[in-house]
Amino acid sequence: MVGNDLSLDYSLCMGAAIGDRGGLTEDDLATIADRATAAADAVAERVNHGELGFWQLPGDAAGIEAVEAVVHALPEAAREVLVLGIGGSSLGAQALLEALLPPRFETAPAASPRRLHFFDNSDPFRLAHALEALDPRHCAMVVVSKSGGTVETAAQLRVVRPWIEAALGEEAATRCIAVTDPEHGALRKEATNAGWQTLPIPSNVGGRFSVLGAAGLLPARLAELDARALLRGAGRMAERCRTNVLHENPALMLAALCHLHDRARGHHIDVLMPYSDRLRAFSAWFVQLWAESLGKRKDHQGQTVEVGPTPLTAVGATDQHAQMQLFMEGPRDKLLLFVAIADAERDLTIPHSDGPGAYLGGHGMAELLDAERRGTTQALASDGRPSLTLSLPRLDADGLGQLFFFFEAATAFAGELYGINAFDQPGVELGKRLAFGLLGRQGYEEAGREIEAALSARPEGYRID
Ligand code: PA5
């Protein structure tokens, strides 16, 4: 461990602290230790066979150099960057920028010379407003899609590309960057034909595991963030997650604790609750990673298992005034994952005053936030409700890199403990197929008929107009 390393305190997961009703026993940990070791070995084997490319991203020196070359080649006039992509091709980058850039207020000078705008939906509202508000002559477009065929991203691209081209003519090609599969897919073809700069998402890196590759590093460098420090932190965490010894590997321990609480104590919901505004988007990234990776119908043998913890997000202290009532007194089905950042970087001392708030005088707001976190944690524990706490000395690029890799590794380990493939997402295919059918896409005629028939067969009398 070095100065800024993440630590995991799981004492309040244990019956010794919170009672046996909600807490785990030493026997529980002993029982899962061998399975955890086998899970870590299975992940290591897949890494060694080149199947899990995310594990290598922190050490990919050529990757970050390629990103920097692309950023260097982007004309300075391109100060507003529209970043198109969805799911794993967007959430990581959004989390990165929110955590590491100072918040921006309209009247404040820019924190970085470029502004990035993320569009991760086919809802036209924000994009339509952006195209009205921005001057395309000052814009660049980054389109991120591993497959190159995702419908939401394809639709955004079809709208934004002509908007930039109409304003810039041939120069538009210098403003468009595609991050996609190195060889395959419609986007790769389009980018090559148009002469755009491109960066690869390696074929063995899935979207939700791609933040430490070009999908995250390009937006990070465009915003002038320290991507190398991010990779350094991630690389150190990758080293810590290499051991197959449960009590020495923090991500393996997280996976084991969540699995045990889910299967042995009925705590099916994992609530990530950072006490930091800067980790709101990170929480959304976690939800996607945990849900899309672990929610699966079939196990490795093809048997129906229908497993997966439900991820939820909350932000401290905001959600103490929203969801905490439910966490404290509602169903005993949750494990709280708190995140504490020791150094708030900016603090405000509350001035002394008379009246109702006098007790706050002289305290820092960061101290207040931390006291609220500790009070909440203990309140849950006193009622036998489990939690664990991840602590980081600082939320800088190095710390964030650790957090990203920690959860990615934990997801891979948890997948093995559940006996499922954490790296596919078959459950989202049917909905896409049916939507294509409704849009009349060639090759989806049968799906179109299927959904039309299903819609017209819905029972009547169950709607209020
Ligand atoms: O994590 C995943 O694999 C998904 O969420 C994808 O990132 C998302 O569906 C977007 O896919 P693509 O990058 O191919 O456009």
Side-chain angles (χ1 to χ4, degrees):
M1 297 244 307
V2 299
N4 193 30
D5 278 2
L6 178 120
S7 65
L8 163 65
D9 178 347
Y10 56 97
S11 54
L12 297 183
C13 277
M14 304 302 296
I18 64 169
D20 288 344
R21 181 171 175 200
L24 302 173
T25 63
E26 280 301 323
D27 279 354
D28 289 324
L29 288 183
T31 310
I32 205 166
D34 287 346
R35 293 184 53 213
T37 295
D41 290 343
V43 168
E45 198 177 316
R46 292 184 74 179
V47 170
N48 293 339
H49 281 114
E51 285 174 49
L52 307 185
F54 83 88
W55 205 285
Q56 262 89 36
L57 290 176
D60 182 8
I64 180 68
E65 275 160 29
V67 165
E68 279 168 352
V70 164
V71 174
H72 188 70
L74 192 66
E76 284 206 356
R79 298 171 61 80
E80 312 281 345
V81 184
L82 286 77
V83 186
L84 316 182
I86 195 166
S89 286
S90 180
L91 291 166
Q94 292 187 51
L96 230 165
L97 267 63
E98 186 188 77
L100 298 182
L101 282 178
R104 187 179 181 128
F105 301 99
E106 285 311 317
T107 52
S112 92
R114 291 197 189 88
R115 289 201 303 181
L116 278 74
H117 312 277
F118 289 89
F119 300 93
D120 66 351
N121 201 348
S122 36
D123 183 337
F125 191 77
R126 274 190 74 243
L127 184 56
H129 270 282
L131 299 187
E132 282 161 27
L134 298 173
D135 180 343
R137 291 167 306 168
H138 298 144
C139 288
M141 175 187 76
V142 171
V143 52
V144 186
S145 176
K146 163 94 184 287
S147 63
T150 300
V151 62
E152 296 85 355
T153 311
Q156 293 163 349
L157 173 57
R158 303 266 73 77
V159 171
V160 176
R161 180 179 173 177
W163 178 75
I164 293 193
E165 286 178 345
L168 288 165
E170 284 189 2
E171 204 203 320
T174 65
R175 305 287 188 89
C176 299
I177 304 168
V179 182
T180 187
D181 185 276
E183 289 170 30
H184 304 291
L187 178 59
R188 170 61 55 180
K189 209 179 286 171
E190 180 169 350
T192 307
N193 290 340
W196 298 346
Q197 297 204 82
T198 63
L199 288 164
I201 301 177
S203 42
N204 60 359
V205 175
R208 56 192 176 273
F209 291 85
S210 67
V211 63
L212 297 169
L217 300 183
L218 175 63
R221 286 305 299 136
L222 286 169
E224 302 196 343
L225 293 173
D226 189 349
R228 287 175 190 267
L230 185 88
L231 295 179
R232 269 198 303 281
R236 265 198 339 285
M237 181 54 76
E239 275 308 308
R240 293 179 67 190
C241 295
R242 213 174 272 283
T243 172
N244 64 7
V245 180
L246 177 61
H247 286 83
E248 294 173 12
N249 181 331
L252 188 58
M253 183 56 89
L254 179 82
L257 294 168
C258 291
H259 184 268
L260 277 170
H261 273 286
D262 176 12
R263 306 314 291 260
R265 293 290 182 282
H267 301 139
H268 309 303
I269 300 174
D270 295 327
V271 184
L272 185 68
M273 187 162 180
Y275 272 67
S276 167
D277 274 343
R278 299 164 65 191
L279 290 173
R280 283 178 194 267
F282 182 90
S283 298
W285 171 85
F286 160 77
V287 164
Q288 191 235 357
L289 180 71
W290 213 235
E292 203 163 33
S293 302
L294 301 179
K296 294 290 155 69
R297 189 194 307 277
K298 302 281 183 188
D299 68 8
H300 284 315
Q301 285 73 42
Q303 300 297 315
T304 299
V305 287
E306 294 182 343
V307 293
T310 300
L312 203 70
T313 68
V315 171
T318 308
D319 273 292
Q320 289 183 198
H321 300 265
Q323 302 186 77
M324 190 50 66
Q325 170 63 32
L326 172 71
F327 302 163
M328 272 300 303
E329 297 192 348
R332 293 176 181 273
D333 55 3
K334 297 171 195 71
L335 170 65
L336 272 286
L337 319 180
F338 291 109
V339 182
I341 310 294
D343 178 358
E345 286 178 44
R346 303 298 299 266
D347 201 357
L348 293 168
T349 303
I350 303 162
H352 290 281
S353 63
D354 297 330
Y359 68 96
L360 290 168
H363 291 285
M365 285 188 73
E367 183 191 355
L368 167 63
L369 184 69
D370 197 54
E372 292 185 278
R373 178 186 63 75
R374 289 189 292 155
T376 298
T377 306
Q378 194 49 46
L380 287 162
S382 66
D383 193 42
R385 293 173 188 258
S387 70
L388 56 84
T389 299
L390 301 164
S391 300
L392 259 184
R394 279 181 306 286
L395 186 55
D396 54 11
D398 178 291
L400 186 68
Q402 294 177 59
L403 270 182
F404 274 130
F405 197 92
F406 170 79
F407 279 107
E408 289 179 346
T411 304
F413 297 142
E416 292 303 324
L417 288 171
Y418 280 103
I420 52 91
N421 183 2
F423 300 93
D424 63 3
Q425 51 283 327
V428 298
E429 290 310 317
L430 178 60
K432 281 192 210 168
R433 217 165 53 75
L434 296 175
F436 289 149
L438 285 176
L439 287 169
R441 182 174 173 181
Q442 200 180 3
Y444 293 83
E445 295 79 4
E446 181 55 38
R449 283 190 288 277
E450 201 181 309
I451 187 164
E452 295 293 0
L455 291 175
S456 58
R458 284 198 183 160
E460 306 229 341
Y462 296 100
R463 67 183 267 164
I464 299 173
D465 290 315

